[in-house]
Amino acid sequence: MWRGLRGREVGATRPRSLATHVRADRVRQINLSGHKEIVSAHNSGINSLQIDCTEARYLLAGAADGSVGVYDTQQPTFMDSAIKVAKHEALFTVDKSVPQGHIYSVTCVQWYPVDTGLFVTGSFDKKINLWDTNTHQVELQFEMPEKVHAIAMSSIAATHMLVAAGTEDVRIRLCDLASGACTHTLSGHRDGVWALQWSATSEWVLYSGGCDGAIRFWDIRRAGCFQVLDQNRSQIERRSNVTSSTQRQELASAPVGSSSTSEMQRPVAKRTKPSTVSKPSKIAKIKDPGVRRSHPGMTLANDRSTAHHGSVTALQTSDDGLNLFSAGTDSRVRLWDIESGRNTLVNYEATKIRTHQGTQLAVSMDSSLLFVPSAHSLQVIEISL
Amino acid sequence: MIHRKPQPRAPRNHTALVSLPNINDVVTPAPASGSPSLPAISKRKFLDLYSSSVKRNRVLIKRSREDENSVGGSGQISGEENDVADVKPSEESRRRIGNELGEHERAESTDVVERNGDEVAEGNLEQGLEEWTMPCDTKIALELMRSQFPKVEKSSVPPFVLRSQLYSSVNDRTLVDRELERMKLDRLIRVFKLSTGQDEHAIMLMADYVAQINASKARLAKGKHSPADMAVFDWFVRHVLPVHFDAGITHSKLVDLLSEGGEVRDSHITLLMNAGLLTRQLGDGTEYWLAIPNVGFLLKSLTGGRKEIISFMSRRKYKEMLQVPLERRRLQYSVLGMRFHIRDLLGLGHIHTVNSPSGPIIRLSRD
């Protein structure tokens, strides 16, 4: 480490490469910290954690008793010199004693992506609150029809301030912080939505994973979702061809990719032993009039392909925005190629995910390690691409 | 150590060994030149020198007969050479299987291979060598386990392999998934989703599956069904299986594919369901799982055996047992055999092996 710093001083190594090198080293030797302790101010289990992305300093925690706490991870509040441990206590907590505070379990918390002046929380009491960090009060409250499982705000959004909310209701709602109203309703899932993630490359694209096992991609400027991930459509090693979204419906070239359950499939393209006699009648039969008349955004509404055999509990995009990780209650963590929408068939073993609500996945900064909570432990898995 | 059975000598009929460096050229001196430029060695000595590679060559040829669809191995294996002399890959890949269940497994695999190799030696060797591609790890593991499938008198289901068993035999799970996908697209195997758990899959060779379909068709034919209705089995095998590779199928897609054979009625679909080829999906009226007919008894055995082993292990004082005596125990609730269940549980992660001075120990995994 000191040698690396000396090299950076002299100019032998680039500053950025030293930083990534040190970071990668530390992540690989991850261990419970012996000199720093965060003292929890909650009386129950903690459901959701987030460190703000602007300064990487303040930790926001939502617990099952309805309390939300903010901790400073860099400046300790109390230094125990006897055992040489720095203790970080909560800067403040808000719970049901605050007017309009949450009364049931808080399931998801997120900092406002621009600065740490605001944060958003969602809870089982069917409400989403927008809190002001300095006054510790609720600024805005959105009412949801069902218990809230997941919220997400886009960290690269420049033109909108929408909070995506996933509840036990099948529709995803987008709530606008500027106006205080719900602007969008995205329908397509068949069961509750447990995982939401905004795209890392586009501020208009939202990924959602539901209890029905489906993962859908939504472009909020259009109606309906534009892609549904199917675990049977897979690619081995390479993307077959990166085509436009309309052509994605048809089957890709023969060696890679298998059939999809979508009704827009043209069987002529994928037939390996074409029967010339029945071809014209085949085409006539496939195009049933109902499909042709529907709105282009609604063609995927009837698509029932699933990404997991159970429910999808967590979604996470990699930093470069090319890959999507999804964890499901069938104890599988799958890696998807976002551009082609296919399963890359990478198998992450030994994950026992048995949850009744959404969880979080995390990817390390250089996109080389994946952190998966499984049963009683946290698994750190190398991402192989 | 790989134990090999003694091989019979290469046949005297040298025309069969056309693809090898021609023995006749080397052994008999060229008539044109007066003095023999090559050292004179007898044919027997030549065969002694090359006999080991001939033996191994037979193994290679056997593979080529099976991989007629030229299964391309994954990137790791395909780079290796096809040289006659360089046969380490096939042994290495067998070793690479990393089967901890004892060396007798490996011996049995070579037995299977060499027994079949003898039959094929006189086959189309020249063509075989040119088309031969390295069998992938998964294929070898699949064949090994299929050959060890326990014989059950009660049911007539052909051997299938569970995906978790493949995971416990091959080191790399991603490799297994990808190779299975490739074999599925090459129409060598068929993957079925079982109802015993959320992520259980059974893998069966295509030929076995078609044979099972025909067997269930014959069984149903004894009942009163019109021959027009029975034709749906042929339509299924000819139109649905080669095209649709997933474990499940929607009703509309099924009807579309079957109607290439003729007009499809609801009674046809009912017939397929009665035969056990289709099962309705839970919670969905219009989707079906493709299923193995008559597999219910074995599935009951599977869950019963798993539960029995886990409960037996958890009752022991230290939740572990030496592997060799464990394999000798008899299971009360399962006909599938101890080895089958141990492999399956290893792949699922419920148990794991630990090496000890007295041999491998099977231990129950704690969460």
Side-chain angles (χ1 to χ4, degrees), chain B residues 137-175:
Chain B
D137 282 354
T138 323
K139 194 163 202 315
I140 295 177
L142 195 64
E143 281 169 21
L144 169 67
M145 278 179 227
R146 184 180 167 270
S147 64
Q148 289 173 354
F149 193 77
K151 291 196 192 2
V152 180
E153 308 83 24
K154 188 162 174 187
S155 68
S156 60
V157 177
F160 62 87
V161 178
L162 295 174
R163 206 188 257 256
S164 46
Q165 292 178 325
L166 285 179
Y167 286 158
S168 67
S169 302
V170 183
N171 283 335
D172 189 355
R173 289 184 179 211
T174 309
L175 194 67

Side-chain angles (χ1 to χ4, degrees), chain A residues 172 186-188 204-206 208 216-220 224-226:
Chain A
I172 303 169
L186 308 172
S187 27
W204 309 109
V205 176
L206 176 67
S208 68
R216 284 173 180 256
F217 287 9
W218 310 85
D219 185 332
I220 60 175
C225 69
F226 66 90

